[in-house]
Amino acid sequence: MRNTALAVSLILALPVTVLAQSRSPDVPRQIYGKVQVIDGTTLEFKDRRQIVRLAGYEASRIEQMASSDGIEWPAGQVARAWMILRTLKRDVNCAPIARDANKNLIAHCFVGETNLAATAIAEGIGYAFNYRNEPQVPAYFDIERKARGLGYGVWSSKDLLPPWLYVASPAEEKKADEAPDTYPGLPLPPPVSETPTPPTTSQGG
């Protein structure tokens, strides 16, 4: 995995260098630190209040569901959970290359030597995808072809729409925004008393 990540970073080095020469003044060369994961493709550096979207990568929307061999699974939530596990308590190093239409940074982001977008694509967590008028990352499509051929992750679900073609219904959007307070069918633990109850002692007659 380490060699793969290093190889991908070398593949990406040339495009990043070329883009850096025409980088806008409002695009920093590097952002480093802890992040809050917003969704499968978007991170927020809390100390800077800066949102970063991974370049050349897309993941299923949070509310999207997939089905593999008759088993349903939450593709969007899996993508977000994957990103959380990869970045939790780790420093993330991002090399911004542009800003999108919403003025958020577009960047190649790494944890150690692991390229987050490339690794997610290799494991079938998401897709190689370039939005129009944004920097192109052609190397990711070669990685995606292998994951697709092996049927990893999103490629195991034939009916799962890619996120750029998916339109959520109002009911699905509402469901994604509402986190359940309780889980039906699961027993709840008894409430914990703030003051411990003294043990009962029996008295002899």
Side-chain angles (χ1 to χ4, degrees):
M1 181 64 73
R2 179 176 178 178
N3 291 336
T4 302
L6 184 58
V8 171
S9 65
L10 291 174
I11 290 172
L12 296 174
L14 181 58
V16 172
T17 303
V18 172
L19 287 165
Q21 296 175 355
S22 59
R23 180 188 285 109
S24 173
D26 68 335
V27 176
R29 291 185 176 275
Q30 182 185 35
I31 299 183
Y32 184 83
K34 300 292 191 301
V35 298
Q36 177 78 49
V37 174
I38 298 175
D39 57 31
T41 62
T42 314
L43 314 172
E44 181 181 6
F45 285 82
K46 299 297 287 185
D47 57 340
R48 298 169 178 258
R49 295 184 179 179
Q50 178 62 66
I51 294 176
V52 174
R53 180 162 55 80
L54 300 183
Y57 173 66
E58 256 297 0
S60 299
R61 303 290 180 245
I62 291 294
E63 68 274 7
Q64 278 192 266
M65 297 293 295
S67 179
S68 305
D69 295 329
I71 299 173
E72 288 194 346
W73 54 281
Q77 293 181 35
V78 166
R80 182 172 183 269
W82 184 94
M83 197 63 66
I84 290 172
L85 291 174
R86 288 283 179 164
T87 59
L88 190 63
K89 299 184 70 174
R90 305 289 300 276
D91 286 318
V92 178
N93 186 13
C94 290
I97 54 177
R99 288 189 184 273
D100 63 16
N102 296 318
K103 302 302 181 182
N104 295 323
L105 290 173
I106 306 168
H108 297 295
C109 296
F110 298 79
V111 172
E113 294 181 354
T114 300
N115 180 318
L116 292 173
T119 305
I121 294 168
E123 295 183 9
I125 301 299
Y127 308 82
F129 183 76
N130 296 312
Y131 285 96
R132 186 179 299 175
N133 300 324
E134 291 188 3
Q136 305 296 292
V137 191
Y140 286 171
F141 290 95
D142 292 330
I143 300 171
E144 182 186 85
R145 274 190 284 273
K146 184 174 182 181
R148 186 190 309 170
L150 294 171
Y152 287 167
V154 295
W155 304 110
S156 68
S157 180
K158 296 180 180 180
D159 297 329
L160 178 63
L161 285 174
W164 55 90
L165 297 179
Y166 171 77
V167 179
S169 67
E172 288 173 322
E173 290 180 341
K174 183 178 180 181
K175 184 177 179 181
D177 292 337
E178 293 178 350
D181 295 328
T182 60
Y183 294 86
L186 293 179
L188 297 178
V192 178
S193 175
E194 295 183 1
T195 56
T197 304
T200 304
T201 57
S202 59
Q203 297 180 358

